[in-house]
Amino acid sequence: MKKYDLEEQIKTPYLDAYKKYLDKHTTAFDVPGHHQGKIKTDFNKVFGPSIYKSDVNAPRGMDNLSHPTGVIKEAQELFAKACGATYAKFLINGSSEGNLIMLMSALKAKEKILMPRNVHKSVINGLVLSGAVPIFVMPEIDKNTEIVNQISYKDWKKAIDNNPDAKAIFIINPTYFGATCNIKKVVEYAHLKNMIVLVDEAHGSHFYFSSHSPISAMEAGADMSTLSIHKTGGSLTQSSVLLVNGNRVPRYDVIKTFNLLTTTSPSSLLIASLDSARKYLVFHGSRTINRIIKLAREARNRINEIKGFKARDKEYFKENGAYDYDETKVVVELDNLSLTGFELYKILKDKYNIQIELGETYVFLLLFTVGTKKEDVDIIVNALKKISKKYYKEDIVYPSHHYLKDSFPPLVLRPREAYHASLKIVKLDKALNKISKEMIMTYPPGIPVIIPGERFTQNVIDELKYFKKIKANILSDFEGVNEVSVVDELKLEK
Ligand SMILES: Cc1ncc(COP(=O)(O)O)c(C=O)c1O
């Protein structure tokens, strides 16, 4: 990792200019039209005046996100240096925007990209918008928890060798559940074969600031990466950063795509929170992240003492398809409990006022981030003890559904073609062998069960019926997935 200049990193150029602007109480004849809260609304009553007062757009002195030449430029340069990147762009629509920018700037229609199938929905959106062709590479799957982990180096190498015409590869560093691949070796091999390496680090922004975390995309030599600083780095929701290393994807294309996708009215609060989070992470990140890794280890040990729960650690993930593991993710497997992770997620919120990141059939996920405190661990441990008393049963045998995880549906049409094809709406029960026009998933985690261009298999239909039965939160085009949108194949051009 490159060493940065700490004297420089102490600066927060955007935050300082922002404060200066607010302190001046400027008379406004610009947008936003509430003119720093000079209207009486319910929002004002709930939050008080400070949010309205701070909500300014791009006034003089505070630079312009589309074409930065002043304090945003400076703040982005500091971010890039802190992460060892050539340059950085602030994103105000999350890593969802970062994934779109990466795919659209690196690939043109019909160019191939290798990727794992367990990507976030925004990556599939990027395939639709760019018109690129995905070649899905099968990741290792933990059959016990049904968690999809990573692609081994051997399988990455095989996929790269089998697809010499691919323009790029796409890596997730780490997955939602914390697994990483041997990213350094994969990047080296992809570059040897002249492929661009794009990385989704939505859940790994802290890797840049901790020596006890897996290595970051920039350290591994990847070309581009998107980081949700808001997820694990302490900035405000939606604020993320795109990092670019070198010029394998030309800067002109990156900036052009950034401006195609970015609002001309970005929130100053989001940008300022990035500037401030970067300084916090540079000066306190290492200590804080090492503290939360220890706290997460402690939490795993305490949870493992409660009947009905098995908190899975780094060694477990490494035995099940991870090269390395982000220990700030606490994945807990349910063991002899008469409820699913989906139900547990709801019970924790409704009965114990605890909001966890995600619940699935056999697992739930707790995120330990820069904000997690020891007291929070006591609260969840006590709640799990009570749940164990009520739901632990010695003789439970879990049904295994494995509908999907070891047989993703076949992709028969380019996602963009399926998206544009003529629409037919059919009942879910009648969708077998039809080509999907839509993406369907449970959220979180937002990993699609089917994407545009894939054929419905019986496994997909059964999985969706199962999600409906257990009342999981399903995102699809039609409420409750009673119906699905498919391609009218009679109207498909041959
Ligand atoms: C793996 C992955 N990539 C990208 C995203 C999108 O990130 P954001 O919420 O910052 O848009 C998510 C969001 O959950 C994600 O899990």
Side-chain angles (χ1 to χ4, degrees), residues 272-454:
S273 79
L274 285 170
D275 198 21
S276 155
R278 185 261 315 146
K279 177 177 169 182
Y280 173 82
L281 289 166
V282 164
F283 288 95
H284 307 285
S286 175
R287 199 163 24 94
T288 307
I289 293 153
N290 293 346
R291 174 185 67 78
I292 59 163
I293 288 174
K294 275 197 199 135
L295 197 58
R297 284 181 192 156
E298 232 178 88
R300 279 190 200 91
N301 291 338
R302 290 176 67 187
I303 291 170
N304 280 335
E305 283 168 11
I306 310 169
K307 273 186 174 175
F309 300 104
K310 285 181 184 163
R312 296 310 194 176
D313 62 6
K314 188 176 186 155
E315 290 318 307
Y316 177 86
F317 272 86
K318 284 172 98 167
E319 282 160 18
N320 285 282
Y323 172 77
D324 200 358
Y325 189 67
D326 172 13
E327 291 187 81
T328 67
K329 317 277 190 275
V330 175
V331 173
V332 184
E333 188 183 337
L334 306 186
D335 182 31
N336 285 49
L337 289 177
S338 58
L339 39 67
T340 65
F342 290 107
E343 288 162 323
L344 185 100
Y345 174 94
K346 290 177 192 160
I347 292 170
L348 281 170
K349 177 65 187 78
D350 297 348
K351 281 199 86 170
Y352 298 95
N353 201 23
I354 298 170
Q355 180 60 56
I356 63 168
E357 177 62 17
L358 146 152
E360 286 202 338
T361 307
Y362 306 117
V363 291
F364 63 93
L365 169 66
L366 310 175
L367 290 188
F368 279 57
T369 70
V370 289
T372 311
K373 298 279 176 260
K374 194 170 181 332
E375 308 83 86
D376 303 336
V377 179
D378 297 338
I379 292 170
I380 184 98
V381 165
N382 287 335
L384 294 179
K385 279 183 185 163
K386 287 184 189 148
I387 289 172
S388 166
K389 275 206 180 117
K390 188 156 176 200
Y391 294 97
Y392 182 79
K393 308 264 179 316
E394 287 283 337
D395 51 358
I396 287 182
V397 180
Y398 288 128
S400 157
H401 65 269
H402 295 307
Y403 293 133
L404 177 70
K405 301 290 168 70
D406 43 10
S407 61
F408 287 115
L411 184 86
V412 292
L413 209 58
R414 207 155 45 96
R416 167 129 112 207
E417 268 184 273
Y419 181 85
H420 285 307
S422 298
L423 166 72
K424 241 173 99 170
I425 299 169
V426 297
K427 296 267 180 240
L428 178 61
D429 272 331
K430 301 274 181 243
L432 185 65
N433 291 332
K434 304 258 185 304
I435 305 173
S436 182
K437 260 184 80 64
E438 64 172 312
M439 230 186 317
I440 309 176
M441 73 209 79
T442 55
Y443 194 88
I447 299 166
V449 172
I450 190 157
I451 68 167
E454 285 179 341

Side-chain angles (χ1 to χ4, degrees), residues 5 8 78 93 170 181 194 200 216 228 315 318 339 346-347 359 367 402 410 454 466-467 470 477:
D5 177 355
E8 198 179 44
L78 288 169
N93 191 21
F170 188 95
C181 68
N194 290 322
D200 180 340
S216 67
S228 295
E315 290 318 307
K318 284 172 98 167
L339 39 67
K346 290 177 192 160
I347 292 170
L367 290 188
H402 295 307
E454 285 179 341
Y466 165 74
F467 286 146
I470 60 165
D477 284 359

Side-chain angles (χ1 to χ4, degrees), residues 102 105 197-199 218 222-226 242-244 249 254:
M102 291 198 291
S105 58
V197 183
L198 311 177
V199 186
M218 292 297 114
D223 301 294
M224 289 174 98
S225 162
T226 181
L242 180 75
L243 300 177
V244 186
V249 183
V254 176

Side-chain angles (χ1 to χ4, degrees), residues 93-96 99 120 176 200 202-203 228 230-231 240:
N93 191 21
S95 283
S96 298
N99 280 331
H120 183 252
Y176 210 126
D200 180 340
H203 294 280
S228 295
H230 70 95
K231 288 193 197 293
S240 295

